[in-house]
Amino acid sequence: MQVGIIGLGRMGLPIARNLLERGFAVTGYRRSGSAELAAAGGIAAASPAEVAAGASVIVSIVPDADAVQEVIAGPRGTLAGLRSGTVHIEMSTIPVDRKQKLRDEVRAAGGDLLDCPISGSPPMVAPRLATTFVSGERDSVDAVRPVLDAISGPWVYTGPFGTGASLKYVANLLLATHMAAAAEAMLLARSLGLDLELVQQTLDSSIASSAIWRQRGPVIRTRQWTPAPGPIATLHPILEQIEAAAGGAGVDSPVFAAAKALFDQAMAAGWAGLDIAAVHDVLTGGAGQERTA
């Protein structure tokens, strides 16, 4: 099975390596090129259309909706080289209505497109600890099961097209609120004069714990905001989508709104490249950049 990958950044490159390690032939494209793909045993293509011309399965993971549009429907997009029967696993987190229009264009060209956002930070992809939310036609999902198994770790079929994005919204709502709560809790512990390492160890296995508390608690304690495994700039556009989805569904989400306000302030302060744990310094009125690795 020849797999084409478009977007060889912090998420796409480890996905390509995972596929190569599982024995797939991989052709990839990145606007700026990717010597790393060739070094791993893959083949670099000159355009998304060239990727599509040689692939029976396409995987794409790019930063935003405009990039997805260009990758698929642009002058050198996948539609220009798509083979009949090709299944496109689209892993970017973008508004469902825009992705659905592109799915319709792919179907008109004889292929199919699945909505498959990934949940997890870049360091979780290589060891296959990230989860993929897969939605779309079940027959298309069944046709690409071996690829889904190899991409990044466990995956779950969520149902009709777009439900993958919906589950990603639920997951990232929890991520944002847990991050804000962990930062606030650590700030309280610090302000009360507690031993922060003792606080961390005591709560790690308690009912009050969370994955975010365990992973980002040490980051908050030392205020080491870089390097950033999960930069604020990556999360913030998804928070905007969650806000729109909740509004469209008529859901009042005050806890999420409070957490999002912290990330809004962090973006406004120019902290886009810092780790999401830096919202701690929004609470303190700190400089964000004061402590870096």
Side-chain angles (χ1 to χ4, degrees):
M1 188 179 290
Q2 180 77 33
V3 181
I5 298 190
I6 302 167
L8 293 166
R10 297 178 69 199
M11 302 290 275
L13 184 61
I15 287 173
R17 287 174 173 150
N18 284 349
L19 287 163
L20 287 163
E21 289 172 3
R22 294 286 183 94
F24 291 95
V26 174
T27 300
Y29 170 76
R30 187 183 189 185
R31 281 179 298 182
S32 58
S34 180
E36 295 93 342
L37 177 64
I43 299 172
S47 68
E50 184 178 323
V51 169
S56 55
V57 180
I58 299 171
V59 178
S60 61
I61 182 162
V62 293
D64 54 44
D66 289 343
V68 177
Q69 178 80 28
E70 182 69 17
V71 158
I72 296 173
R76 300 200 303 161
T78 57
L79 289 175
L82 195 71
R83 297 160 54 178
S84 179
T86 297
V87 176
H88 186 148
I89 301 171
E90 215 306 298
M91 304 187 73
S92 314
T93 304
I94 67 171
V96 174
D97 58 343
R98 292 198 62 176
K99 192 179 286 194
Q100 189 157 6
K101 289 177 182 177
L102 292 168
R103 181 202 62 173
D104 293 344
E105 292 187 51
V106 171
R107 284 184 166 183
D112 196 13
L113 185 140
L114 302 174
D115 170 46
C116 304
I118 188 170
S119 180
S121 62
M124 296 173 67
V125 176
R128 296 186 174 91
L129 298 175
T131 302
T132 304
F133 303 140
V134 179
S135 65
E137 289 297 322
R138 192 64 189 253
D139 287 347
S140 296
V141 173
D142 289 340
V144 296
R145 279 180 175 272
V147 177
L148 292 169
D149 289 342
I151 281 176
S152 63
W155 60 274
V156 57
Y157 178 64
T158 61
F161 188 91
T163 56
S166 295
L167 184 51
K168 176 70 179 281
Y169 294 160
V170 173
N172 279 55
L173 182 150
L174 288 169
L175 171 66
T177 54
H178 286 178
M179 186 67 260
E184 188 170 314
M186 196 66 78
L187 176 60
L188 177 61
R190 192 191 308 271
S191 300
L192 294 175
L194 296 175
D195 179 330
L196 297 187
E197 187 172 351
L198 175 65
V199 171
Q200 181 80 53
Q201 293 175 354
T202 302
L203 297 184
D204 273 355
S205 58
S206 77
I207 194 172
S209 187
S210 68
I212 283 292
W213 170 263
R214 292 188 294 273
Q215 292 176 10
R216 292 306 205 279
V219 177
I220 301 169
R221 291 204 321 270
T222 58
R223 298 179 63 239
Q224 301 281 346
W225 311 136
T226 61
I232 293 170
T234 299
L235 177 62
H236 193 260
I238 303 173
L239 302 186
E240 300 280 4
Q241 293 178 49
I242 296 170
E243 185 175 59
V251 173
D252 186 23
S253 49
V255 177
F256 169 72
K260 181 177 179 295
L262 298 178
F263 288 99
D264 290 344
Q265 292 177 59
M267 287 293 290
W271 302 354
L274 303 185
D275 188 74
I276 58 173
V279 293
H280 171 275
D281 278 9
V282 176
L283 294 168
T284 66
Q289 308 261 11
E290 185 177 326
R291 282 292 301 277
T292 58

